[in-house]
Amino acid sequence: MTGTEIEITADLVRDLLREQHPDLAGLAIREVAGGWGNQMWRLGDKLAVRMQRMDPTPELQLKERRWLPVLAPRLPLPVPAPVRSGEPSERFPKHWTVMTWVPGEPLDHGSISRGAHAADTLATFLRALHVEAPAEAAMIATDRGAHPKDCTGGFEHFLRAVDPGDVADVRDVWADAVAAGAWEGPPVWVHGDLHPANVVVSDGTLSGIVDFGDLFAGDPAWDLAAAWVLLPAGTAARFFETYARADEAAIRRARGLAAMKSLFLMLMGQNGDRGLPGGKPHWGPKGREALDRVLKGV
């Protein structure tokens, strides 16, 4: 039996806790909807168990274990902090981690009503995150982190798969990003996967950032794309004003990357509508709204 064939249940999570962290085994366990590479289970009121599911290697979890304790203390929003490590065993031959729970509602199921506050909050968070990374962390993720000109294959795949209707306008945004200058600063910490399911909201604004499995060191434009992917229309300019570190080339790269990310969300929604594995029907409208903001530049 392969790891992907193992059904992850509350009983399995409790058995693993009894084997490796028995002092936590008595806490209430509740499944958290969503997730793809990893499955989350609430553990009591303040913790969660992150179970490796579809990820083929443990590298993403091990990366979070290594670097989140370094980053979390200086970030101005709550992020998951690893507190216990679960190792592969005969019962479950993959990695799992007990982490702090970040309260709030995922944005893919919620909304932002305090746009200006959310723009300032996100910009302040990214200013704190985007500092020069140590040499041992200066890695570029295999499928993200590159200049847009090196990502045209992925962009074209998403565009063809989704066919959003305004193809010429989308191509213009992408072409402008491809023509923009490259990042010339030192590699900085980049979350790498800021989309509506990886941030949480409460009281109408951003209140936490989760899922740092794609964390890498490189071009901050990959995170700056969140100005259009996450924030309401009309707040991108405020975001960049508060962030105050992005030159024209970075903003152009970020806008193109936001277009690609929006198409990806739309594709995941389309896959969900078709009942395909991993598809998420509710991501489609989020992606379309984000793409509209990208094309309007607001």
Side-chain angles (χ1 to χ4, degrees), residues 62-252:
L62 298 180
K63 187 193 307 182
E64 289 185 324
R65 292 183 191 177
R66 171 66 179 88
W67 293 111
L68 278 176
V70 176
L71 296 173
R74 60 177 176 79
L75 296 176
L77 283 177
V79 301
V83 296
R84 303 284 183 90
S85 295
E87 302 307 321
S89 63
E90 183 177 350
R91 188 78 171 86
F92 185 70
K94 293 193 174 191
H95 286 74
W96 51 280
T97 306
V98 180
M99 313 183 81
T100 56
W101 174 254
V102 178
E105 181 181 26
L107 181 57
D108 62 331
H109 290 285
S111 62
I112 294 173
S113 57
R114 299 163 60 196
H117 187 279
D120 289 344
T121 299
L122 180 61
T124 301
F125 175 86
L126 291 180
R127 278 180 61 93
L129 176 63
H130 292 167
V131 299
E132 185 173 354
E136 63 267 32
M139 59 286 185
I140 297 295
T142 55
D143 61 344
R144 65 192 73 216
H147 190 284
K149 64 182 172 56
D150 298 319
C151 303
T152 296
F155 168 79
E156 291 290 345
H157 167 71
F158 295 143
L159 186 61
R160 288 193 299 269
V162 173
D163 188 14
D166 31 22
V167 173
D169 293 335
V170 178
R171 287 193 182 282
D172 286 345
V173 171
W174 184 254
D176 186 59
V178 168
W183 171 248
E184 297 181 351
V188 300
W189 282 119
V190 180
H191 178 283
D193 199 23
L194 289 177
H195 62 68
N198 285 344
V199 301
V200 297
V201 295
S202 57
D203 298 323
T205 190
L206 290 175
S207 57
I209 309 290
V210 300
D211 196 346
F212 283 74
D214 286 306
L215 181 74
F216 67 89
D219 180 1
W222 281 80
D223 282 351
L224 300 180
W228 295 280
V229 175
L230 299 181
L231 297 175
T235 59
R238 178 167 182 140
F239 165 83
F240 283 110
E241 180 180 357
T242 302
Y243 182 78
R245 294 178 184 168
D247 61 14
E248 179 187 1
I251 294 173
R252 291 165 62 193

Side-chain angles (χ1 to χ4, degrees), residues 30-64:
R30 292 164 285 165
E31 185 176 4
V32 178
W36 176 245
N38 294 277
Q39 186 173 3
M40 296 286 289
W41 294 79
R42 290 288 303 272
L43 182 61
D45 294 329
K46 298 182 179 181
L47 299 174
V49 182
R50 187 167 169 80
M51 307 283 292
Q52 184 187 343
R53 180 167 58 180
M54 298 303 293
D55 287 341
T57 74
E59 292 176 4
L60 303 186
Q61 280 214 24
L62 298 180
K63 187 193 307 182
E64 289 185 324

